[in-house]
Amino acid sequence: MKQTSIFYVNSSQGTGQFARLESASNAIKNEHDVIWVSPKVKNPIEGIEYKNSFKEIKFNKDIKVNIIFSSESDIIRNYITLILLKINYKNFNIIFMQRIDSLKNYLFNFKKKPSFKIFIRIIIFPFFIFLGLLLIDKYIFQTPFALRDYFLKKRIRTLLLSLFFNNQRMYTLTNNSGTQWNLKFKNSNESVVHSSATLKRTIVYIGNIQFYGKGIDTIIKASKKLDASKYSFKLIGSIPHQFKEKIEDIKVYISRNNLDIEFCGHRENPHLYLQNKNTIFVSASRLDLSPNSVLEALSFNIPILLSDISAHKFIFRFDEFLFGKDNAEELSTKIEALFENRDYWKRNLNFVEQVYEKFNFDWDAEFLKIMNV
């Protein structure tokens, strides 16, 4: 009899968290009965059930049931329900898919001078993590790099986390799901999206439009240093509610300065923008823990430029194609160099091919193996 695996999905389409949950669901749906408890999003995957809450699910005491979370706050939100399920069902497991570098996110929030309300939430967050530890049966730490490389770095959090990895409940899985997830887009019959009738030099960013965290401001500053008659910027992704007013102000700035920058919003198939021969992919993130969009871009054989944060530096261990995370001048210089210097363009493409091979393994099979332990 099949296991039942229930994914609690509280994130919106277009986010990295959503993409990881979608990839994980697709990886096991042929061997597990997969259900999404998803108040926000319905029917992105064929062949699985969608529920609004755990109350709608009839549990069978004879079947092994997994409930998969990817956020500590979602566990706390359902804490009482999970305790009751654990009491009533023996074959009930809570699985947490965590990003191994999440401590960076925690510290990053302090640096942004949070409001008093947000500050209090940050302070009590470790307590929520402790409560979650009491319930979780299996950890799957998702990393943007190989575990062996991670432990060579001498960091305090590495030492602390390594204590857990000796436990049989702990697993790590390199976050490469994007390279395989893209196959459905590569096989799509939809038309490639061009920047204009004259096919300008196009710079594409894909991901949430988090103005500061994702370095959108750096990209905009870099665009101002380039000739708008030659260069077009496409920023593809949802705009979080807290940034919508800011982005409207930015659109006025773009218009006044005659810049060719388009906020394209969420796209079901954003990768159509990556299939032009005159296109490069850029990520200027100040913080990224498991950069799905970068891993996805690898499989499209186009040049890539990344900010020099640690998650990017693991993927691209070559400074020639990295730029300072706040350095719009360096970004604009490297963008121009790619389009003006074909040797530089070819070196970047060759490097992208090498990096792609490092992440090109059967992620679905690895995830299924962990789930079946």
Side-chain angles (χ1 to χ4, degrees):
M1 193 173 288
K2 285 185 176 181
Q3 297 183 42
T4 296
S5 289
I6 303 166
F7 289 82
Y8 189 85
V9 183
N10 196 34
S11 54
S12 301
Q13 283 178 284
T15 63
Q17 186 180 54
F18 182 92
R20 286 187 287 276
L21 292 169
E22 184 178 12
S23 295
S25 301
N26 280 319
I28 65 174
K29 69 178 184 180
N30 291 330
E31 294 196 23
H32 292 214
D33 289 323
V34 176
I35 300 171
W36 272 25
V37 174
S38 175
K40 292 183 178 179
V41 182
K42 305 296 179 189
N43 304 320
I45 306 175
E46 293 182 5
I48 67 173
E49 294 183 62
Y50 292 85
K51 305 292 184 183
N52 289 314
S53 70
F54 292 112
K55 294 178 181 179
E56 298 179 20
I57 302 173
K58 293 182 179 180
F59 292 97
N60 186 332
K61 291 190 176 183
D62 298 323
I63 296 176
K64 182 179 178 181
V65 176
N66 308 302
I67 297 186
I68 300 97
F69 290 90
S70 63
S71 165
E72 293 93 344
S73 59
D74 289 341
I75 294 177
I76 299 303
R77 189 177 289 112
N78 294 279
Y79 206 80
I80 301 301
T81 299
L82 295 175
I83 290 175
L84 294 175
L85 287 171
K86 272 187 163 291
I87 291 172
N88 291 320
Y89 299 97
K90 292 182 180 179
N91 299 321
F92 185 87
N93 294 300
I94 296 174
I95 299 172
F96 187 43
M97 293 171 59
Q98 170 68 300
R99 296 171 297 185
I100 201 168
D101 248 354
S102 61
L103 180 59
K104 281 191 174 182
N105 194 20
Y106 184 73
L107 296 175
F108 185 76
N109 284 320
F110 275 111
K111 294 179 182 178
K112 292 195 297 183
K113 297 180 180 180
S115 65
F116 179 75
K117 182 179 178 181
I118 298 297
F119 179 79
I120 295 299
R121 287 172 60 182
I122 294 171
I123 290 296
I124 64 176
F125 188 65
F127 177 68
F128 288 161
I129 293 178
F130 174 74
L131 287 178
L133 290 173
L134 300 178
L135 291 182
I136 296 168
D137 298 292
K138 184 185 294 185
Y139 294 81
I140 302 175
F141 281 102
Q142 291 191 281
T143 76
F145 38 73
L147 183 63
R148 62 181 179 276
D149 297 313
Y150 182 75
F151 282 150
L152 290 175
K153 299 180 180 180
K154 296 180 180 179
R155 299 177 182 176
I156 294 176
R157 71 177 182 281
T158 302
L159 175 62
L160 295 175
L161 286 172
S162 66
L163 300 176
F164 291 103
F165 281 102
N166 293 323
N167 191 311
Q168 292 181 353
R169 296 187 305 162
M170 306 291 172
Y171 301 86
T172 58
L173 184 59
T174 300
N175 184 40
N176 91 318
S177 55
T179 58
Q180 292 177 324
W181 185 65
N182 280 349
L183 291 177
K184 65 179 181 180
F185 297 120
K186 284 183 142 184
N187 297 328
S188 171
N189 293 322
E190 293 182 64
S191 299
V192 174
V193 178
H194 297 294
S195 61
S196 69
T198 56
L199 194 56
K200 284 185 179 181
R201 299 168 173 183
T202 305
I203 297 89
V204 173
Y205 162 80
I206 298 175
N208 251 16
I209 310 298
Q210 297 178 22
F211 186 72
Y212 183 78
K214 298 299 184 182
I216 303 301
D217 56 326
T218 303
I219 294 175
I220 292 171
K221 289 174 184 175
S223 73
K224 194 176 179 183
K225 300 176 184 297
L226 296 167
D227 185 346
S229 68
K230 294 180 179 179
Y231 294 90
S232 175
F233 288 76
K234 304 290 185 184
L235 309 180
I236 303 154
S238 301
I239 302 173
H241 177 74
Q242 65 269 32
F243 294 113
K244 287 188 175 180
E245 186 175 342
K246 178 70 174 178
I247 296 303
E248 290 304 313
D249 292 339
I250 291 298
K251 288 179 180 178
V252 174
Y253 172 85
I254 289 169
S255 178
R256 286 176 179 170
N257 288 275
N258 296 314
L259 304 176
D260 188 349
I261 302 175
E262 181 183 359
F263 289 93
C264 302
H266 172 72
R267 291 288 185 268
E268 290 297 325
N269 186 353
H271 306 85
L272 292 174
Y273 290 83
L274 298 179
Q275 297 186 46
N276 289 324
K277 292 182 180 179
N278 213 30
T279 295
I280 69 171
F281 175 88
V282 167
S283 173
S285 289
R286 291 182 174 89
L287 175 73
D288 220 327
L289 307 178
S290 295
N292 282 55
S293 61
V294 176
L295 296 171
E296 291 161 12
L298 287 173
S299 59
F300 282 85
N301 196 34
I302 63 171
I304 296 174
L305 294 174
L306 304 175
S307 58
D308 60 355
I309 60 174
S310 60
H312 287 166
K313 289 175 79 171
F314 175 81
I315 297 173
F316 263 41
R317 295 183 177 182
F318 195 29
D319 289 345
E320 186 177 7
F321 306 124
L322 298 171
F323 58 90
K325 64 185 178 190
D326 297 302
N327 196 330
E329 181 73 41
E330 186 180 9
L331 173 56
S332 64
T333 299
K334 292 197 172 186
I335 289 173
E336 192 168 32
L338 275 173
F339 286 104
E340 295 289 345
N341 187 331
R342 300 313 293 181
D343 288 337
Y344 188 49
W345 181 284
K346 289 176 182 178
R347 283 205 308 277
N348 191 296
L349 283 182
N350 289 335
F351 189 64
V352 166
E353 289 177 5
Q354 294 172 31
V355 173
Y356 171 77
E357 287 304 317
K358 184 171 69 171
F359 289 94
N360 187 25
F361 66 90
D362 193 342
W363 189 91
D364 288 1
E366 292 298 315
F367 183 77
L368 180 62
K369 188 189 302 182
I370 292 172
M371 289 295 294
N372 286 340
V373 171

